[in-house]
Amino acid sequence: MKRTVQRIFVITLAALPLHVFAQGVDSIAAWKRTLNGMANLSQSYFDNWTKGGTDALNWEIRFDASAVLDKPGYTWESKGKAAYGQAKLASLAPRKSSDELVLETIYTRKLNEWINPFASARLQSQFAPGYTYDDKLGTRTRVSGVFDPTYVTQTLGAGYDWRKELQLRLGGTLKETFSAVRYGYADKASTAAVETYKIEPGATFTAIYKRGLMENILLSTLLDVFVNFKGADETDVRWENLITAKVNKYISANFALDMLYDKDLSTERQIKENLSIGISFLSI
């Protein structure tokens, strides 16, 4: 039954945008495309510094891309971001500080000012293995792998845009998790075997808010709530916040704060914070 429902969702999601091509959208120029690349770097060095300090080097490479087709009757937006970075502290070996791959496509029909149906698909994963470290023993334990775990979600629902600052979406969702046996991110605790694939039907509420705080400073926040149909105690919450201060065309300062609650990963909330100065090396 679950497989049947999954196929219906996937086929519907794939079929809805196909009429776009039937309407003669065959020109790449019809799409508004952007591609940005940024390198973030921070470094500190101490030599006979009596107040104390530890040498450190942090770097990150990030790419953001989007393609938007905006027509009177519909909007089709595809976007993606990729980031990878490492941190090196004193004589310790370099460690991963950021690792993210996100691909998303959203097709929206414009019916009226208030409610517009949409279909979306999202993939989230990572590029490199992850480890936990024991500096006292000098050991590390591998806790995730290349593209492991990978999360895929498909959603059908309705949305509302307010002044291009606030976007609200609500819909039915299938959340799929792919993970190897050794990591067990797709494992079901109720079974003896270790599953490598898991599908969870539920509902998703997404709110995206973007606003200029002052000249050259932009606030972007995203709240994503997934409620598993098994019960409210299976709710996953993802809250991403980004403040970007644009110094000029090439230099910007960024503050990111991400909060995550996913019972399958941890019974406690997770927080990731990053403050950096970046140099833009690609803008198309």
Side-chain angles (χ1 to χ4, degrees), residues 1-73:
M1 179 64 181
K2 288 184 178 180
R3 289 287 186 180
T4 301
V5 174
Q6 179 191 14
R7 291 190 184 100
I8 293 174
F9 259 80
V10 173
I11 292 172
T12 304
L13 183 64
L16 279 177
L18 293 181
H19 85 284
V20 173
F21 296 98
Q23 295 179 24
V25 181
D26 56 358
S27 173
I28 297 179
W31 293 78
K32 181 180 179 181
R33 295 157 294 154
T34 62
L35 174 61
N36 295 289
M38 178 173 290
N40 299 318
L41 178 67
S42 63
Q43 180 267 339
S44 60
Y45 170 74
F46 300 88
D47 185 1
N48 194 32
W49 189 255
T50 58
K51 295 180 181 180
T54 302
D55 298 348
L57 175 65
N58 299 274
W59 63 268
E60 180 191 56
I61 302 294
R62 176 178 292 272
F63 291 93
D64 293 278
S66 68
V68 181
L69 182 63
D70 193 357
K71 293 292 183 176

Side-chain angles (χ1 to χ4, degrees), residues 96-263:
K96 181 171 68 172
S97 59
S98 65
D99 187 4
E100 184 178 27
L101 172 65
V102 178
L103 302 173
E104 186 174 21
T105 185
I106 304 171
Y107 176 78
T108 304
R109 288 290 296 176
K110 299 178 181 178
L111 293 185
N112 54 56
E113 182 180 354
W114 296 100
I115 298 179
N116 299 293
F118 74 91
S120 69
R122 186 176 192 271
L123 180 147
Q124 181 171 356
S125 190
Q126 62 183 29
F127 294 101
Y131 301 88
T132 57
Y133 296 86
D134 188 327
D135 293 333
K136 292 183 179 180
L137 298 178
T139 61
R140 66 179 186 178
T141 303
R142 185 163 169 168
V143 294
S144 63
V146 178
F147 299 110
D148 188 350
T150 292
Y151 302 98
V152 178
T153 58
Q154 300 115 19
T155 302
L156 292 174
Y160 168 70
D161 291 2
W162 183 74
R163 295 185 181 179
K164 296 184 179 181
E165 294 180 357
L166 177 64
Q167 297 178 341
L168 301 176
R169 297 197 298 267
L170 177 65
T173 299
L174 288 180
K175 178 182 178 182
E176 298 157 88
T177 304
F178 302 85
S179 180
V181 171
R182 65 180 296 186
Y183 306 120
Y185 289 102
D187 183 41
K188 299 177 183 178
S190 58
T191 63
V194 179
E195 288 83 9
T196 59
Y197 168 79
K198 177 172 64 175
I199 181 170
E200 301 170 275
T204 296
F205 170 75
T206 303
I208 302 174
Y209 182 69
K210 296 181 180 181
R211 183 179 178 86
L213 300 180
M214 57 184 67
E215 187 177 2
N216 297 334
I217 298 181
L218 176 66
L219 166 67
S220 176
T221 182
L222 179 149
L223 176 64
D224 187 78
V225 181
F226 172 75
V227 181
N228 194 310
F229 285 156
K230 291 193 299 183
D233 61 335
E234 297 289 337
T235 299
D236 301 335
V237 180
R238 176 171 54 94
W239 188 22
E240 300 178 355
N241 300 274
L242 177 65
I243 297 178
T244 301
K246 195 74 173 178
V247 178
N248 55 40
K249 182 179 179 181
Y250 300 102
I251 300 176
S252 62
N254 305 281
F255 174 76
L257 176 63
D258 296 348
M259 302 181 68
L260 175 67
Y261 176 78
D262 188 335
K263 187 178 178 181

